[in-house]
Amino acid sequence: MSQLTANQRYSGVSMLLHWLIAVAVIVNWRLIEAAEHAEVRADAFAFVMNHKSLGITILALTLLRLGWRLINRPPPLRAGMAAWEKALARTLHIVFYVLLVGLPMLGWLSESFEGEGIEVWGMFTLPGLPVGVNEQLAETMGELHGTGGEIMIYLIGLHVLGMLKHMLIDKDGNLWRMLPFGTPKA
């Protein structure tokens, strides 16, 4: 059991972006749930506006994280992991990135097909994409966005289960690779 070296732990920037995005995704899910269950129309509208703003923020943070990842290679997966675990981990991370970019883009595309832009935190309006108005495509993109969001929630559950397996069964401290404290094993 060797101690974790600096090149086996994620960088501070990677950790910060990971946790900011994780919290933002959960909050965004709760915002749209709150909008769907709001009894007052104005409340629902406010929840949706915040959902859209946070979605664009998630897109920006994800693009920043992808850029950072290209410049700063992530640490290698633990050598003792089974081949299926490594394949599942890599696949899950790829799907997460596809969804973290794709979901906001689908939302933006849906708004664009409605002829709308996205107001971002009341500071500026992101103009609609140059696609032309098409209500049917707006609805289709909105449905894909919703389905992708559901898939994201299930994948987060799978990700958490994987973390629990590593912490409680494997006892390899894998979680500590994504935190600035703790004692992971190499």
PDB file of all heavy atoms in Angstrom, residues 128-156:
ATOM      1  N   GLY A 128     -30.651  33.261 -29.598  1.00  0.00           N
ATOM      2  CA  GLY A 128     -31.007  31.956 -30.135  1.00  0.00           C
ATOM      3  C   GLY A 128     -30.019  31.553 -31.219  1.00  0.00           C
ATOM      4  O   GLY A 128     -29.409  32.404 -31.873  1.00  0.00           O
ATOM      5  N   LEU A 129     -29.861  30.268 -31.370  1.00  0.00           N
ATOM      6  CA  LEU A 129     -29.013  29.755 -32.449  1.00  0.00           C
ATOM      7  C   LEU A 129     -29.704  30.029 -33.780  1.00  0.00           C
ATOM      8  O   LEU A 129     -30.939  30.060 -33.848  1.00  0.00           O
ATOM      9  CB  LEU A 129     -28.772  28.257 -32.245  1.00  0.00           C
ATOM     10  CG  LEU A 129     -28.024  27.897 -30.957  1.00  0.00           C
ATOM     11  CD1 LEU A 129     -28.130  26.406 -30.676  1.00  0.00           C
ATOM     12  CD2 LEU A 129     -26.574  28.326 -31.055  1.00  0.00           C
ATOM     13  N   PRO A 130     -28.960  30.202 -34.855  1.00  0.00           N
ATOM     14  CA  PRO A 130     -29.561  30.552 -36.152  1.00  0.00           C
ATOM     15  C   PRO A 130     -30.204  29.342 -36.847  1.00  0.00           C
ATOM     16  O   PRO A 130     -29.679  28.825 -37.828  1.00  0.00           O
ATOM     17  CB  PRO A 130     -28.368  31.098 -36.945  1.00  0.00           C
ATOM     18  CG  PRO A 130     -27.184  30.376 -36.378  1.00  0.00           C
ATOM     19  CD  PRO A 130     -27.500  30.174 -34.917  1.00  0.00           C
ATOM     20  N   VAL A 131     -31.345  28.909 -36.304  1.00  0.00           N
ATOM     21  CA  VAL A 131     -31.992  27.712 -36.840  1.00  0.00           C
ATOM     22  C   VAL A 131     -33.373  27.974 -37.424  1.00  0.00           C
ATOM     23  O   VAL A 131     -33.934  27.109 -38.085  1.00  0.00           O
ATOM     24  CB  VAL A 131     -32.100  26.604 -35.766  1.00  0.00           C
ATOM     25  CG1 VAL A 131     -30.720  26.101 -35.385  1.00  0.00           C
ATOM     26  CG2 VAL A 131     -32.857  27.093 -34.545  1.00  0.00           C
ATOM     27  N   GLY A 132     -33.960  29.129 -37.176  1.00  0.00           N
ATOM     28  CA  GLY A 132     -35.312  29.392 -37.647  1.00  0.00           C
ATOM     29  C   GLY A 132     -36.340  28.809 -36.689  1.00  0.00           C
ATOM     30  O   GLY A 132     -36.050  27.877 -35.936  1.00  0.00           O
ATOM     31  N   VAL A 133     -37.524  29.358 -36.723  1.00  0.00           N
ATOM     32  CA  VAL A 133     -38.592  28.926 -35.820  1.00  0.00           C
ATOM     33  C   VAL A 133     -39.222  27.645 -36.354  1.00  0.00           C
ATOM     34  O   VAL A 133     -39.551  27.543 -37.535  1.00  0.00           O
ATOM     35  CB  VAL A 133     -39.660  30.034 -35.667  1.00  0.00           C
ATOM     36  CG1 VAL A 133     -40.826  29.554 -34.825  1.00  0.00           C
ATOM     37  CG2 VAL A 133     -39.028  31.287 -35.065  1.00  0.00           C
ATOM     38  N   ASN A 134     -39.371  26.658 -35.467  1.00  0.00           N
ATOM     39  CA  ASN A 134     -39.996  25.390 -35.821  1.00  0.00           C
ATOM     40  C   ASN A 134     -40.503  24.764 -34.519  1.00  0.00           C
ATOM     41  O   ASN A 134     -39.732  24.163 -33.769  1.00  0.00           O
ATOM     42  CB  ASN A 134     -38.999  24.472 -36.527  1.00  0.00           C
ATOM     43  CG  ASN A 134     -39.620  23.186 -37.011  1.00  0.00           C
ATOM     44  OD1 ASN A 134     -40.476  22.595 -36.356  1.00  0.00           O
ATOM     45  ND2 ASN A 134     -39.181  22.727 -38.175  1.00  0.00           N
ATOM     46  N   GLU A 135     -41.791  24.929 -34.247  1.00  0.00           N
ATOM     47  CA  GLU A 135     -42.377  24.456 -32.994  1.00  0.00           C
ATOM     48  C   GLU A 135     -42.222  22.946 -32.802  1.00  0.00           C
ATOM     49  O   GLU A 135     -41.992  22.478 -31.690  1.00  0.00           O
ATOM     50  CB  GLU A 135     -43.856  24.858 -32.902  1.00  0.00           C
ATOM     51  CG  GLU A 135     -44.068  26.320 -32.590  1.00  0.00           C
ATOM     52  CD  GLU A 135     -43.536  26.723 -31.220  1.00  0.00           C
ATOM     53  OE1 GLU A 135     -43.675  25.953 -30.252  1.00  0.00           O
ATOM     54  OE2 GLU A 135     -42.968  27.828 -31.129  1.00  0.00           O
ATOM     55  N   GLN A 136     -42.350  22.194 -33.894  1.00  0.00           N
ATOM     56  CA  GLN A 136     -42.235  20.734 -33.782  1.00  0.00           C
ATOM     57  C   GLN A 136     -40.813  20.339 -33.349  1.00  0.00           C
ATOM     58  O   GLN A 136     -40.637  19.505 -32.471  1.00  0.00           O
ATOM     59  CB  GLN A 136     -42.599  20.060 -35.101  1.00  0.00           C
ATOM     60  CG  GLN A 136     -42.621  18.550 -34.999  1.00  0.00           C
ATOM     61  CD  GLN A 136     -43.083  17.892 -36.292  1.00  0.00           C
ATOM     62  OE1 GLN A 136     -43.318  18.562 -37.292  1.00  0.00           O
ATOM     63  NE2 GLN A 136     -43.212  16.581 -36.264  1.00  0.00           N
ATOM     64  N   LEU A 137     -39.813  20.967 -33.965  1.00  0.00           N
ATOM     65  CA  LEU A 137     -38.436  20.672 -33.567  1.00  0.00           C
ATOM     66  C   LEU A 137     -38.137  21.188 -32.157  1.00  0.00           C
ATOM     67  O   LEU A 137     -37.376  20.566 -31.412  1.00  0.00           O
ATOM     68  CB  LEU A 137     -37.447  21.249 -34.571  1.00  0.00           C
ATOM     69  CG  LEU A 137     -37.303  20.460 -35.878  1.00  0.00           C
ATOM     70  CD1 LEU A 137     -36.397  21.197 -36.858  1.00  0.00           C
ATOM     71  CD2 LEU A 137     -36.779  19.058 -35.613  1.00  0.00           C
ATOM     72  N   ALA A 138     -38.740  22.313 -31.788  1.00  0.00           N
ATOM     73  CA  ALA A 138     -38.573  22.826 -30.427  1.00  0.00           C
ATOM     74  C   ALA A 138     -39.076  21.799 -29.421  1.00  0.00           C
ATOM     75  O   ALA A 138     -38.411  21.516 -28.412  1.00  0.00           O
ATOM     76  CB  ALA A 138     -39.315  24.152 -30.255  1.00  0.00           C
ATOM     77  N   GLU A 139     -40.229  21.226 -29.705  1.00  0.00           N
ATOM     78  CA  GLU A 139     -40.805  20.213 -28.807  1.00  0.00           C
ATOM     79  C   GLU A 139     -39.938  18.955 -28.775  1.00  0.00           C
ATOM     80  O   GLU A 139     -39.675  18.397 -27.701  1.00  0.00           O
ATOM     81  CB  GLU A 139     -42.223  19.863 -29.252  1.00  0.00           C
ATOM     82  CG  GLU A 139     -42.922  18.925 -28.305  1.00  0.00           C
ATOM     83  CD  GLU A 139     -44.374  18.652 -28.708  1.00  0.00           C
ATOM     84  OE1 GLU A 139     -45.009  19.536 -29.301  1.00  0.00           O
ATOM     85  OE2 GLU A 139     -44.837  17.535 -28.412  1.00  0.00           O
ATOM     86  N   THR A 140     -39.461  18.522 -29.930  1.00  0.00           N
ATOM     87  CA  THR A 140     -38.609  17.333 -29.997  1.00  0.00           C
ATOM     88  C   THR A 140     -37.320  17.542 -29.218  1.00  0.00           C
ATOM     89  O   THR A 140     -36.906  16.675 -28.443  1.00  0.00           O
ATOM     90  CB  THR A 140     -38.292  16.978 -31.469  1.00  0.00           C
ATOM     91  OG1 THR A 140     -39.522  16.718 -32.156  1.00  0.00           O
ATOM     92  CG2 THR A 140     -37.379  15.766 -31.560  1.00  0.00           C
ATOM     93  N   MET A 141     -36.679  18.709 -29.406  1.00  0.00           N
ATOM     94  CA  MET A 141     -35.447  19.000 -28.676  1.00  0.00           C
ATOM     95  C   MET A 141     -35.719  19.070 -27.169  1.00  0.00           C
ATOM     96  O   MET A 141     -34.922  18.596 -26.362  1.00  0.00           O
ATOM     97  CB  MET A 141     -34.822  20.317 -29.137  1.00  0.00           C
ATOM     98  CG  MET A 141     -34.329  20.340 -30.571  1.00  0.00           C
ATOM     99  SD  MET A 141     -33.087  19.094 -30.925  1.00  0.00           S
ATOM    100  CE  MET A 141     -33.964  18.105 -32.131  1.00  0.00           C
ATOM    101  N   GLY A 142     -36.858  19.639 -26.788  1.00  0.00           N
ATOM    102  CA  GLY A 142     -37.239  19.702 -25.383  1.00  0.00           C
ATOM    103  C   GLY A 142     -37.439  18.318 -24.786  1.00  0.00           C
ATOM    104  O   GLY A 142     -37.030  18.054 -23.649  1.00  0.00           O
ATOM    105  N   GLU A 143     -38.064  17.428 -25.551  1.00  0.00           N
ATOM    106  CA  GLU A 143     -38.266  16.055 -25.076  1.00  0.00           C
ATOM    107  C   GLU A 143     -36.934  15.319 -24.939  1.00  0.00           C
ATOM    108  O   GLU A 143     -36.712  14.592 -23.965  1.00  0.00           O
ATOM    109  CB  GLU A 143     -39.204  15.298 -26.015  1.00  0.00           C
ATOM    110  CG  GLU A 143     -40.646  15.764 -25.921  1.00  0.00           C
ATOM    111  CD  GLU A 143     -41.552  15.142 -26.972  1.00  0.00           C
ATOM    112  OE1 GLU A 143     -41.080  14.303 -27.775  1.00  0.00           O
ATOM    113  OE2 GLU A 143     -42.743  15.516 -26.998  1.00  0.00           O
ATOM    114  N   LEU A 144     -36.042  15.496 -25.913  1.00  0.00           N
ATOM    115  CA  LEU A 144     -34.716  14.878 -25.828  1.00  0.00           C
ATOM    116  C   LEU A 144     -33.950  15.418 -24.620  1.00  0.00           C
ATOM    117  O   LEU A 144     -33.255  14.671 -23.925  1.00  0.00           O
ATOM    118  CB  LEU A 144     -33.925  15.133 -27.110  1.00  0.00           C
ATOM    119  CG  LEU A 144     -34.360  14.352 -28.342  1.00  0.00           C
ATOM    120  CD1 LEU A 144     -33.626  14.863 -29.584  1.00  0.00           C
ATOM    121  CD2 LEU A 144     -34.129  12.861 -28.158  1.00  0.00           C
ATOM    122  N   HIS A 145     -34.088  16.714 -24.378  1.00  0.00           N
ATOM    123  CA  HIS A 145     -33.458  17.348 -23.228  1.00  0.00           C
ATOM    124  C   HIS A 145     -33.972  16.707 -21.931  1.00  0.00           C
ATOM    125  O   HIS A 145     -33.184  16.354 -21.044  1.00  0.00           O
ATOM    126  CB  HIS A 145     -33.759  18.855 -23.251  1.00  0.00           C
ATOM    127  CG  HIS A 145     -33.234  19.616 -22.085  1.00  0.00           C
ATOM    128  ND1 HIS A 145     -31.929  20.020 -21.984  1.00  0.00           N
ATOM    129  CD2 HIS A 145     -33.861  20.065 -20.962  1.00  0.00           C
ATOM    130  CE1 HIS A 145     -31.761  20.683 -20.857  1.00  0.00           C
ATOM    131  NE2 HIS A 145     -32.919  20.730 -20.210  1.00  0.00           N
ATOM    132  N   GLY A 146     -35.269  16.517 -21.828  1.00  0.00           N
ATOM    133  CA  GLY A 146     -35.857  15.900 -20.638  1.00  0.00           C
ATOM    134  C   GLY A 146     -35.411  14.459 -20.456  1.00  0.00           C
ATOM    135  O   GLY A 146     -35.064  14.049 -19.341  1.00  0.00           O
ATOM    136  N   THR A 147     -35.395  13.706 -21.535  1.00  0.00           N
ATOM    137  CA  THR A 147     -34.959  12.303 -21.463  1.00  0.00           C
ATOM    138  C   THR A 147     -33.489  12.229 -21.075  1.00  0.00           C
ATOM    139  O   THR A 147     -33.093  11.418 -20.235  1.00  0.00           O
ATOM    140  CB  THR A 147     -35.196  11.597 -22.813  1.00  0.00           C
ATOM    141  OG1 THR A 147     -36.594  11.639 -23.110  1.00  0.00           O
ATOM    142  CG2 THR A 147     -34.712  10.156 -22.775  1.00  0.00           C
ATOM    143  N   GLY A 148     -32.674  13.093 -21.673  1.00  0.00           N
ATOM    144  CA  GLY A 148     -31.257  13.133 -21.323  1.00  0.00           C
ATOM    145  C   GLY A 148     -31.050  13.492 -19.860  1.00  0.00           C
ATOM    146  O   GLY A 148     -30.159  12.954 -19.198  1.00  0.00           O
ATOM    147  N   GLY A 149     -31.888  14.387 -19.348  1.00  0.00           N
ATOM    148  CA  GLY A 149     -31.807  14.762 -17.936  1.00  0.00           C
ATOM    149  C   GLY A 149     -32.105  13.581 -17.034  1.00  0.00           C
ATOM    150  O   GLY A 149     -31.439  13.391 -16.003  1.00  0.00           O
ATOM    151  N   GLU A 150     -33.100  12.786 -17.400  1.00  0.00           N
ATOM    152  CA  GLU A 150     -33.418  11.589 -16.619  1.00  0.00           C
ATOM    153  C   GLU A 150     -32.251  10.599 -16.646  1.00  0.00           C
ATOM    154  O   GLU A 150     -31.895  10.011 -15.620  1.00  0.00           O
ATOM    155  CB  GLU A 150     -34.687  10.933 -17.145  1.00  0.00           C
ATOM    156  CG  GLU A 150     -35.942  11.723 -16.860  1.00  0.00           C
ATOM    157  CD  GLU A 150     -37.197  11.071 -17.436  1.00  0.00           C
ATOM    158  OE1 GLU A 150     -37.192   9.846 -17.672  1.00  0.00           O
ATOM    159  OE2 GLU A 150     -38.177  11.801 -17.647  1.00  0.00           O
ATOM    160  N   ILE A 151     -31.662  10.427 -17.818  1.00  0.00           N
ATOM    161  CA  ILE A 151     -30.505   9.534 -17.940  1.00  0.00           C
ATOM    162  C   ILE A 151     -29.373  10.029 -17.048  1.00  0.00           C
ATOM    163  O   ILE A 151     -28.720   9.244 -16.360  1.00  0.00           O
ATOM    164  CB  ILE A 151     -30.059   9.421 -19.414  1.00  0.00           C
ATOM    165  CG1 ILE A 151     -31.119   8.657 -20.221  1.00  0.00           C
ATOM    166  CG2 ILE A 151     -28.688   8.756 -19.534  1.00  0.00           C
ATOM    167  CD1 ILE A 151     -30.936   8.726 -21.723  1.00  0.00           C
ATOM    168  N   MET A 152     -29.165  11.355 -17.028  1.00  0.00           N
ATOM    169  CA  MET A 152     -28.116  11.935 -16.185  1.00  0.00           C
ATOM    170  C   MET A 152     -28.332  11.570 -14.721  1.00  0.00           C
ATOM    171  O   MET A 152     -27.380  11.189 -14.020  1.00  0.00           O
ATOM    172  CB  MET A 152     -28.088  13.460 -16.354  1.00  0.00           C
ATOM    173  CG  MET A 152     -27.137  14.169 -15.417  1.00  0.00           C
ATOM    174  SD  MET A 152     -25.401  13.895 -15.753  1.00  0.00           S
ATOM    175  CE  MET A 152     -25.141  15.175 -16.965  1.00  0.00           C
ATOM    176  N   ILE A 153     -29.565  11.660 -14.247  1.00  0.00           N
ATOM    177  CA  ILE A 153     -29.844  11.357 -12.838  1.00  0.00           C
ATOM    178  C   ILE A 153     -29.533   9.884 -12.537  1.00  0.00           C
ATOM    179  O   ILE A 153     -28.927   9.569 -11.500  1.00  0.00           O
ATOM    180  CB  ILE A 153     -31.307  11.706 -12.475  1.00  0.00           C
ATOM    181  CG1 ILE A 153     -31.546  13.213 -12.633  1.00  0.00           C
ATOM    182  CG2 ILE A 153     -31.660  11.230 -11.070  1.00  0.00           C
ATOM    183  CD1 ILE A 153     -30.600  14.096 -11.842  1.00  0.00           C
ATOM    184  N   TYR A 154     -29.910   8.980 -13.440  1.00  0.00           N
ATOM    185  CA  TYR A 154     -29.602   7.566 -13.228  1.00  0.00           C
ATOM    186  C   TYR A 154     -28.092   7.321 -13.234  1.00  0.00           C
ATOM    187  O   TYR A 154     -27.574   6.523 -12.440  1.00  0.00           O
ATOM    188  CB  TYR A 154     -30.282   6.691 -14.277  1.00  0.00           C
ATOM    189  CG  TYR A 154     -31.774   6.617 -14.109  1.00  0.00           C
ATOM    190  CD1 TYR A 154     -32.636   7.051 -15.113  1.00  0.00           C
ATOM    191  CD2 TYR A 154     -32.351   6.129 -12.932  1.00  0.00           C
ATOM    192  CE1 TYR A 154     -34.017   6.995 -14.951  1.00  0.00           C
ATOM    193  CE2 TYR A 154     -33.719   6.070 -12.760  1.00  0.00           C
ATOM    194  CZ  TYR A 154     -34.546   6.502 -13.779  1.00  0.00           C
ATOM    195  OH  TYR A 154     -35.906   6.448 -13.608  1.00  0.00           O
ATOM    196  N   LEU A 155     -27.381   8.013 -14.119  1.00  0.00           N
ATOM    197  CA  LEU A 155     -25.931   7.842 -14.176  1.00  0.00           C
ATOM    198  C   LEU A 155     -25.249   8.407 -12.927  1.00  0.00           C
ATOM    199  O   LEU A 155     -24.243   7.857 -12.474  1.00  0.00           O
ATOM    200  CB  LEU A 155     -25.368   8.490 -15.438  1.00  0.00           C
ATOM    201  CG  LEU A 155     -25.734   7.791 -16.753  1.00  0.00           C
ATOM    202  CD1 LEU A 155     -25.140   8.537 -17.929  1.00  0.00           C
ATOM    203  CD2 LEU A 155     -25.296   6.340 -16.746  1.00  0.00           C
ATOM    204  N   ILE A 156     -25.794   9.485 -12.388  1.00  0.00           N
ATOM    205  CA  ILE A 156     -25.259  10.003 -11.125  1.00  0.00           C
ATOM    206  C   ILE A 156     -25.420   8.943 -10.041  1.00  0.00           C
ATOM    207  O   ILE A 156     -24.508   8.698  -9.252  1.00  0.00           O
ATOM    208  CB  ILE A 156     -25.945  11.330 -10.726  1.00  0.00           C
ATOM    209  CG1 ILE A 156     -25.513  12.442 -11.678  1.00  0.00           C
ATOM    210  CG2 ILE A 156     -25.641  11.686  -9.270  1.00  0.00           C
ATOM    211  CD1 ILE A 156     -26.312  13.721 -11.543  1.00  0.00           C
TER     212      ILE A 156
END
